[in-house]
Amino acid sequence: MSDAAVPRRFTLDSFVEATVERELREGLFELESERILDINLDGEVWIKTGAMIAYTGAVKFVREKLLDQGIGNLLKKAVTGDGARLTKATGQGSVFCADIGKKITILQLQGESIFVNGNDLLAFETSLQYDIKMMKKVGAMLAGGLFNVRLEGHGLVAVTSHYDPLTLPVVPGQPITTDPNATVMWSGTLSPSLKTDLQLKTFLGRGSGESVQMQFEGDGFVVVQPFEEVILQAGTAS
């Protein structure tokens, strides 16, 4: 086939034009696509360890030390593994982040607090206070290593989900129950409890797969995704 017969949309120039980085100038966080976050770095920001796919400029990456957030988080990090590990990006440039092709949502916290599933937290400003929280029941670990990160203050946060997330309002007297592996985020006003139905058939592979659920009661919201994401625990091979 001659070059003249090739439709322009198939040419290399057309591909580059369609996929080249866009200068949106929307602030610190902007979306290059639904699945690629562009951080216009001029200072420092926290990102999920392993989320950086490319960067430009003078940027240094320093992985968070186990004791950076105190003795309490040392044990939490040892149990949760890499899912809640953070890296601080410092300098000036553009840092591109992604997480296995998941959809990215950018949120601006204005004094509110939220809880994010540790596996769904992609990046956030250092102006936000954060703490790793774990569900107290041992049964939670059977849900794939259930833990979450509490964020509070003023700043941007990028959260990921498989496909489009769904937000469910939680009102007093009308509890909502979710699959932990499909739960992405919930408002800081809620403290979910765990419901367990651990029967022998569950361990024999004959259960419904929903042996552990999270129940939300009160006034707030919970966000779920149309995908059950199994989170690897520390010491589990990927």
Side-chain angles (χ1 to χ4, degrees):
M1 179 181 293
S2 66
D3 290 345
V6 176
R8 188 182 185 282
R9 67 179 183 275
F10 296 147
T11 65
L12 184 58
D13 286 344
S14 179
F15 169 78
V16 171
E17 290 174 6
T19 60
V20 71
E21 176 193 0
R22 299 171 295 166
E23 294 291 344
L24 300 177
R25 302 188 184 279
E26 294 180 344
L28 177 62
F29 286 4
E30 60 185 34
L31 293 177
E32 285 293 328
S33 71
E34 287 187 337
R35 294 168 175 81
I36 299 178
L37 175 70
D38 181 0
I39 302 174
N40 297 306
L41 187 64
D42 185 11
E44 57 185 23
V45 69
W46 286 112
I47 64 172
K48 182 177 182 179
T49 296
M52 187 275 291
I53 59 173
Y55 72 92
T56 65
V59 181
K60 291 184 178 180
F61 300 91
V62 179
R63 186 163 175 165
E64 179 193 35
K65 297 178 181 178
L66 288 178
L67 291 176
D68 279 355
Q69 296 297 316
I71 295 294
N73 271 348
L74 176 62
L75 175 60
K76 296 174 188 177
K77 290 178 181 294
V79 175
T80 59
D82 285 338
R85 295 289 173 83
L86 298 170
T87 292
K88 183 176 287 185
T90 304
Q92 293 182 322
S94 291
V95 180
F96 301 94
C97 296
D99 187 10
I100 58 174
K102 293 162 68 176
K103 186 172 183 178
I104 301 170
T105 300
I106 298 174
L107 303 170
Q108 173 75 58
L109 295 187
Q110 298 177 315
E112 306 99 331
S113 64
I114 58 172
F115 290 89
V116 182
N117 185 307
N119 206 47
D120 299 322
L121 182 60
L122 182 63
F124 61 94
E125 287 191 76
T126 56
S127 58
L128 292 171
Q129 298 179 351
Y130 80 95
D131 185 27
I132 297 174
K133 301 290 185 179
M134 296 185 65
M135 303 301 285
K136 295 181 179 179
K137 289 188 178 180
V138 176
M141 300 310 298
L142 299 177
L146 185 60
F147 62 98
N148 51 77
V149 181
R150 185 180 188 274
L151 297 165
E152 182 177 16
H154 292 78
L156 291 166
V157 56
V159 178
T160 61
S161 63
H162 288 277
Y163 312 104
D164 294 330
L166 171 67
T167 297
L168 301 171
V170 180
V171 297
Q174 299 181 27
I176 291 180
T177 303
T178 67
D179 182 333
N181 293 330
T183 306
V184 175
M185 179 178 71
W186 59 93
S187 54
T189 56
L190 301 177
S191 296
S193 59
L194 285 172
K195 297 175 58 179
T196 58
D197 181 20
L198 302 179
Q199 302 178 26
L200 181 60
K201 64 181 181 181
T202 301
F203 294 99
L204 295 177
R206 298 178 182 177
S208 66
E210 312 301 330
S211 57
V212 180
Q213 303 100 34
M214 298 174 70
Q215 186 172 79
F216 296 85
E217 295 187 80
D219 187 6
F221 65 86
V222 59
V223 180
V224 294
Q225 62 185 357
F227 186 93
E228 295 184 21
E229 185 172 25
V230 178
I231 304 170
L232 295 177
Q233 299 179 33
T236 305
S238 58

